[in-house]
Amino acid sequence: MDATQNEIDERSALTSNNKFELMLFRLGVSPHSEQSEIYGINVFKLRELMAMPAVNSIANSPPHMLGMANIRGQLIPVIDLPAALGCKPATGLNILMVTEFGRTVQGFAVEEVDEIVRLNWSQVRAAEGAAAGRGTITSIAQLDADLNNTRLAQVLDVEQILRTVMPSGMTDIDPDAIDNSTILPPGTMILAADDSSSARMLIGGCLDAMSLPYVMTKTGLEAWQKLNELSDAAKKEGKDISDKVALVLTDLEMPEMDGFTLTKKIKGDARFKKIPVVIHSSLSGTSNEVHVHGAGADAYAAKFKAEELAVTLRDVLAKVRG
């Protein structure tokens, strides 16, 4: 219990300053270059690292899935991450990164692990167009203090990769299972923020199924700027911001400004503090979920559970209406 609390306290200290930790690793030679590029994953999603264990192949398994491994009594799927991204490891698959997110546990086989670096989210830029690697890259991290001559790491969208490799393991939206009765005051909408293109698509599908109007942003900073813009517009119309924004729905891991910082800024501003904030994140596990609830938000919903998100939004909005 003490170890869990210490972990939560340490992470709280990081996120309160818009910082995070990135595990750097390599997959082998990239299909677009002659070198081994640096990739990264948020340490929040990492359960442990280990030498590559024995993996049992599974009949008719999807491409890029190596099979199942027994990790301390738990059977988890193992994904060949270099193959999924078209890379060729020179020395083989040597390390297994055991991850936990979206309330699932899985392993990603990689060639080698470099180090853990502590960064400010301002050092991370959203990946757009070709830089997004067909949805597999969410952002590009600048690793060094000298931003004019810095190493770059591609931050992977592991949720999208998992969805691509194991589509049956992810939850799609069933419109018939979602209550779409009116719950928003006229003229108001949801302000949403998520840096993952696949997440934005799923969130949009859920909000559409609920008949909730929304504005979608790609980073916490963009959401914060939009909120201020809407506040200024409301003031000019002689209205309150709550007449325009009924709720903020935010991811946690985002470039430029993360969801923790966004939540803190909203709750610390007299103009916005009454607006409910729902955190929609793939971070799971005991310490992560306790940490999420301690961020100051009104509620938490796990990705990508459309029905859970819908119920959470309805519950929070119902409390606002009284």
Side-chain angles (χ1 to χ4, degrees):
M1 181 68 179
D2 289 342
T4 298
Q5 187 60 51
N6 288 338
E7 183 180 4
I8 293 169
D9 291 343
E10 184 175 349
R11 288 178 173 177
S12 297
L14 276 179
T15 54
S16 64
N17 292 298
N18 203 39
K19 295 181 183 292
F20 74 112
E21 290 180 328
L22 195 66
M23 169 62 72
L24 304 180
F25 57 91
R26 296 178 189 267
L27 303 177
V29 177
S30 165
H32 306 297
S33 71
E34 297 300 320
Q35 60 186 16
S36 180
E37 304 292 348
I38 305 174
Y39 295 89
I41 183 174
N42 196 321
V43 172
F44 276 17
K45 293 178 178 175
L46 191 64
R47 176 185 279 191
E48 62 180 305
L49 297 171
M50 63 176 61
M52 195 65 191
V55 178
N56 296 298
S57 61
I58 303 297
N60 298 317
S61 60
H64 311 319
M65 180 174 167
L66 295 174
M68 304 292 289
N70 188 333
I71 307 299
R72 277 178 271 286
Q74 182 178 11
L75 292 176
I76 68 169
V78 176
I79 295 165
D80 184 338
L81 195 52
L85 271 71
C87 296
K88 296 181 179 180
T91 63
L93 300 173
N94 304 312
I95 303 293
L96 185 68
M97 300 191 307
V98 181
T99 63
E100 182 173 3
F101 54 84
R103 295 180 182 159
T104 65
V105 178
Q106 50 281 312
F108 291 96
V110 303
E111 182 175 29
E112 63 178 288
V113 168
D114 280 7
E115 61 178 321
I116 293 176
V117 294
R118 185 166 292 185
L119 302 174
N120 191 295
W121 278 109
S122 63
Q123 293 173 248
V124 183
R125 294 290 180 268
E128 299 290 345
R134 292 183 297 179
T136 59
I137 306 297
T138 62
S139 51
I140 306 295
Q142 300 169 322
L143 301 179
D144 304 308
D146 180 3
L147 299 184
N148 293 319
N149 186 24
T150 180
R151 296 173 299 153
L152 300 177
Q154 301 174 62
V155 182
L156 292 182
D157 188 343
V158 286
E159 293 97 329
Q160 177 58 34
I161 293 170
L162 186 63
R163 186 179 180 84
T164 299
V165 174
M166 301 172 59
S168 62
M170 307 299 285
T171 303
D172 287 316
I173 298 166
D174 179 4
D176 295 332
I178 294 178
D179 186 348
N180 66 352
S181 56
T182 301
I183 54 175
L184 282 187
T188 64
M189 52 83 173
I190 306 293
L191 177 61
D194 202 298
D195 66 323
S196 167
S197 59
S198 61
R200 291 195 299 271
M201 179 184 68
L202 289 166
I203 292 167
C206 181
L207 297 178
D208 285 338
M210 295 180 70
S211 300
L212 296 177
Y214 62 90
V215 170
M216 187 68 69
T217 60
K218 298 177 182 178
T219 72
L221 180 59
E222 186 181 342
W224 176 248
Q225 291 171 339
K226 186 64 177 179
L227 191 58
N228 278 274
E229 178 187 318
L230 291 167
S231 177
D232 291 342
K235 187 175 181 180
K236 289 180 181 178
E237 297 170 16
K239 299 179 179 179
D240 186 78
I241 182 61
S242 60
D243 295 321
K244 290 185 175 292
V245 179
L247 181 146
V248 174
L249 176 65
T250 179
D251 186 21
L252 289 179
E253 306 167 272
M254 294 183 290
E256 299 179 327
M257 180 190 293
D258 69 355
F260 290 107
T261 302
L262 175 62
T263 301
K264 183 180 178 181
K265 288 176 75 69
I266 291 172
K267 294 302 183 179
D269 192 308
R271 297 171 297 168
F272 308 136
K273 63 181 181 181
K274 292 184 180 179
I275 298 176
V277 177
V278 174
I279 288 176
H280 181 234
S281 174
S282 61
L283 296 182
S284 58
T286 302
S287 63
N288 275 332
E289 294 200 24
V290 170
H291 181 43
V292 162
H293 284 295
D298 295 84
Y300 165 80
K303 287 182 178 177
F304 290 104
K305 315 293 183 184
E307 291 181 32
E308 178 182 334
L309 176 59
V311 170
T312 301
L313 292 176
R314 295 192 69 85
D315 287 348
V316 172
L317 290 168
K319 290 178 182 177
V320 173
R321 293 202 315 268

